Amino acid sequence: MNLSNFVVYITSLLWLNLTDAKIGYFWHITDLHYDPFHNSQELHKGCRHNRGSNEHSHRNGRHRDHTCDSSWPLIQSAAALMAERHPDTLEFVLWTGDILSSSMEHLSEEVKLEAVKNVTELLSRTFSSQFVFPALGHNDPPPSKKLVEMWMQWLPTEALQTFETGGYYTIEQSHSRLRIVVLNSVLWAGGAARTDGPHRGRAQWEWLEQVLSKARRRNEMVYLVAHAGPGVEERHNAGSSSAAGGGELTPTANGRLVHVIRAFSDVIAGQFYGHRHADTFRLIYSEG
C-alpha cells in the first residue's frame, strides 16, 4: 500500500500519571514506508499512479509527492523536527510498523533488514535519551534474531523473548503504573491466518489475556499498541480477501479483539495503532 494521504504520520500525545497527576508526552510514529530506491530508475514502484498526463511530473523532487512512499531525506527531515520539538518530559516513543515501502516486498530479507537498520539508527540518534517501542507491520520483516539485535537497546530480556518467537511483548513503566502491551497484528491478519499464523496467533491471544489479567490484579493501566487495530478500513472494501491479506485483521480476529477490549475496559486506558494512514479515533461501546 502506497501512502495516498500522509507520507509520514506522526502525532504527539499525552498521558496522565494518575499517581502524581503529572502530564508526560510521547511520540507516535507510524507507516514511514521507507523507499531506499527513491532515486532509482524505477520510481513508479514506490508510487501510486496518478491519472492524467501529468503522472510523473513531481516525482523527481527531493521528497517526491504525496502519492509516493517516503524518501530518506523526508524521513531525516521528520526526525530532525521531532528532535527539535519534543519536550523535556518526553517519556517514550511508539513506532507502529510498516517501516518499509511495499515496493520492497519481493526483495531479500537481507536488503529489508538493512533498510530497517538505517531507520533504527536514525531513531536511536534522534531519541538518545528515550526508549522506542516498535511494533511490526505487514510490510516489515518477520521476528528474527537480527531484529532482536537491532532493538535490544530498547527492550528488556523478557520482552525480547516473546518478540523473537511471536513479535509481541510487554513493557512495564513502573514509575507511572503504566504497562505498554505491543501486539503483532500480522498474526491476526488474513495473509498470516492462511500460512504460519494460526499457532502463533493463538499463543498471542492467550498471552494477551494473561497480561491483561495480571495488570488488573496489580492495578495497572494499559496501553495497547499494534500496527493494525480493530475496525475496518474506510477507504477500501474491507471484506475482500485482498484487504484482509494487506494487513487488516480478519473478521474473526477483529471480533475477538473487540471482545477482549470490552472485557478489560477497566484496565485499558488507551490504544494506538497505525496502518490506515489517517489521523482518526474510534469508540468501542459496551455490549447491550
Side-chain angles (χ1 to χ4, degrees):
M1 178 188 295
N2 296 115
L3 296 180
S4 57
N5 288 329
F6 297 91
V7 179
V8 182
Y9 164 53
I10 302 172
T11 307
S12 62
L13 299 159
L14 309 177
W15 62 270
L16 178 63
N17 183 333
L18 299 179
T19 304
D20 56 10
K22 169 189 171 185
I23 293 180
Y25 297 80
F26 65 90
W27 282 103
H28 179 189
I29 306 171
T30 194
D31 292 81
L32 293 173
H33 289 272
Y34 168 40
D35 180 5
F37 307 104
H38 162 71
N39 289 319
S40 74
Q41 295 299 312
E42 299 186 36
L43 291 175
H44 64 279
K45 287 191 174 181
C47 296
R48 181 177 61 85
H49 290 304
N50 287 332
R51 295 178 179 176
S53 59
N54 205 29
E55 185 176 350
H56 297 290
S57 60
H58 301 294
R59 294 198 181 144
N60 294 319
R62 185 164 180 257
H63 298 315
R64 281 158 69 178
D65 64 32
H66 73 283
T67 71
C68 299
D69 283 343
S70 304
S71 67
W72 185 242
L74 179 61
I75 293 175
Q76 288 179 308
S77 175
L81 177 66
M82 286 187 287
E84 293 174 0
R85 296 193 60 177
H86 68 69
D88 295 335
T89 53
L90 185 72
E91 298 287 338
F92 52 83
V93 178
L94 301 181
W95 184 20
T96 54
D98 271 10
I99 304 163
L100 303 181
S101 168
S102 57
S103 65
M104 299 181 67
E105 180 181 2
H106 301 296
L107 299 180
S108 68
E109 290 301 301
E110 183 179 1
V111 171
K112 293 178 183 178
L113 286 167
E114 187 63 26
V116 173
K117 181 181 178 182
N118 290 341
V119 182
T120 296
E121 290 176 348
L122 177 63
L123 293 183
S124 182
R125 294 192 300 270
T126 303
F127 303 107
S128 58
S129 301
Q130 288 82 29
F131 289 99
V132 178
F133 302 134
L136 293 172
H138 62 285
N139 286 330
D140 302 328
S144 66
K145 288 186 177 180
K146 290 187 176 181
L147 276 182
V148 166
E149 291 171 0
M150 282 187 216
W151 293 344
M152 64 189 307
Q153 61 182 306
W154 297 320
L155 306 181
T157 301
E158 183 180 357
L160 289 171
Q161 290 173 347
T162 56
F163 174 80
E164 185 174 352
T165 57
Y168 50 86
Y169 59 92
T170 182
I171 298 288
E172 179 185 0
Q173 301 284 100
S174 57
H175 65 282
S176 60
R177 301 190 68 81
L178 170 66
R179 179 170 295 278
I180 298 173
V181 178
V182 178
L183 301 172
N184 182 3
S185 64
V186 179
L187 297 180
W188 297 336
R194 293 191 297 272
T195 55
D196 64 344
H199 173 71
R200 291 189 297 163
R202 286 193 296 271
Q204 183 173 224
W205 286 121
E206 296 170 0
W207 173 86
L208 173 59
E209 295 196 21
Q210 290 172 1
V211 168
L212 292 175
S213 295
K214 183 177 179 179
R216 175 180 281 161
R217 293 194 300 270
R218 297 177 62 173
N219 196 31
E220 297 172 332
M221 65 176 183
V222 170
Y223 281 179
L224 285 187
V225 179
H227 177 62
V232 297
E233 169 60 70
E234 299 96 331
R235 298 172 299 168
H236 301 283
N237 180 5
S240 69
S241 58
S242 60
E248 287 288 301
L249 304 183
T250 65
T252 299
N254 183 80
R256 184 165 180 177
L257 182 56
V258 170
H259 174 78
V260 170
I261 292 168
R262 286 170 171 160
F264 289 93
S265 60
D266 59 316
V267 175
I268 299 170
Q271 302 173 64
F272 304 94
Y273 308 105
H275 179 58
R276 297 194 173 108
H277 302 182
D279 188 3
T280 65
F281 68 91
R282 300 178 182 214
L283 299 177
I284 297 177
Y285 295 96
S286 59
E287 292 181 291

